[in-house]
Amino acid sequence: MEVRWIEFEPTKLGPPLTVLSLISTVLLGAWSTLALEMSVGKVPFLEAVNGSTVMLPCTYASCIGIDRLYFNWQFNKDGVMQKVCESTIPSEEVEPHVEIFRDRVEFVGKNHHNNVSILLWNITFEDGGLYTCYGSNPKEKNRNHSAIFNLIVVEELKVVDNTLTIMIASAVGGAIALLMGFMLLKNFTLFVLSKLEEKNKECLVTSSGIDNTENGLSGSKADSKPTPKKK
């Protein structure tokens, strides 16, 4: 029985696979840039006093737009997700009808500039926790995304002592001012010295001219006596 080994040439299989992987990477990158994105802002948390009213921010974005975008807010209550509100937005800038499932909740985003924020009135300690803003866009084959906002309810806000910060800022400012004053004084001193040096040079040139004149050297204005003629 004869066994034959089949050898594949990697040079023939390499280029197509490389091109295919490159195309896949480009398509995935393009898809990710067009995908729906929910955002709760650059600071995804808020510390608020018990009994106050706070806004939980959320906006959505999609490069190809929306069509019957579904969104909701959910609250994580001891590990169990409780729905706060939900709605379907027909299109951008159209104010949706929002269904509310909890007391003291108001939809304030109105979908203006893709805003789907909510307001919590008279918050209690039980309102503190993680809130999730979720969205799903049928125009992107139901592409979905969510963002989490942390609400921290406290008895009173802590007063931040800025004494150390002020002292450091004052010391740095004083050092900078001292350095600038030193540089100005240095430049002024160099300027005065250069002027004095120029004046001394002028005085030396003038004094040299006067000495030559008094000594009757070449170039002086002293009268020269004529040489007597021989008889």
Side-chain angles (χ1 to χ4, degrees), residues 67-134:
D67 180 19
R68 294 175 287 109
L69 171 73
Y70 170 80
F71 82 93
N72 66 37
W73 276 93
Q74 300 178 60
F75 175 58
N76 189 340
K77 180 66 175 179
D78 299 327
V80 179
M81 301 302 293
Q82 298 180 350
K83 193 175 292 184
V84 178
C85 66
E86 68 175 356
S87 181
T88 298
I89 303 176
S91 60
E92 296 180 3
E93 299 299 328
V94 175
E95 185 174 345
H97 173 71
V98 181
E99 189 173 0
I100 307 294
F101 301 100
R102 291 188 61 181
D103 295 334
R104 299 175 288 105
V105 175
E106 179 184 356
F107 178 71
V108 294
K110 310 298 183 183
N111 194 32
H112 296 164
H113 304 290
N114 304 346
N115 192 340
V116 290
S117 303
I118 60 175
L119 202 68
L120 301 184
W121 291 88
N122 302 324
I123 61 173
T124 65
F125 290 105
E126 294 183 353
D127 293 324
L130 300 178
Y131 290 81
T132 301
C133 181
Y134 169 86

Side-chain angles (χ1 to χ4, degrees), residues 34 36 60-67 69 92 137-140:
L34 296 175
L36 175 70
Y60 64 86
S62 175
C63 292
I64 63 174
I66 65 167
D67 180 19
L69 171 73
E92 296 180 3
N137 188 15
K139 195 172 183 179
E140 298 178 82

Side-chain angles (χ1 to χ4, degrees), residues 37-46 55-60 73 114-117 131 133 145-150:
E37 180 180 2
M38 310 298 289
S39 173
V40 291
K42 295 182 179 180
V43 183
F45 64 89
L46 174 66
M55 183 182 71
L56 306 186
C58 184
T59 57
Y60 64 86
W73 276 93
N114 304 346
N115 192 340
V116 290
S117 303
Y131 290 81
C133 181
H145 189 252
S146 61
I148 298 176
F149 190 86
N150 186 15

Side-chain angles (χ1 to χ4, degrees), residues 189-199:
T189 303
L190 292 175
F191 174 77
V192 172
L193 291 177
S194 63
K195 290 296 183 180
L196 290 176
E197 186 176 358
E198 291 178 1
K199 190 172 183 180

Side-chain angles (χ1 to χ4, degrees), residues 145-196:
H145 189 252
S146 61
I148 298 176
F149 190 86
N150 186 15
L151 176 62
I152 305 169
V153 182
V154 296
E155 184 66 33
E156 60 181 4
L157 295 177
K158 297 179 181 179
V159 179
V160 180
D161 188 3
N162 296 324
T163 305
L164 181 60
T165 303
I166 295 174
M167 290 177 63
I168 294 175
S170 301
V172 172
I176 294 176
L178 183 62
L179 181 60
M180 292 180 63
F182 174 75
M183 294 300 296
L184 290 174
L185 181 61
K186 178 182 176 182
N187 293 334
F188 178 75
T189 303
L190 292 175
F191 174 77
V192 172
L193 291 177
S194 63
K195 290 296 183 180
L196 290 176

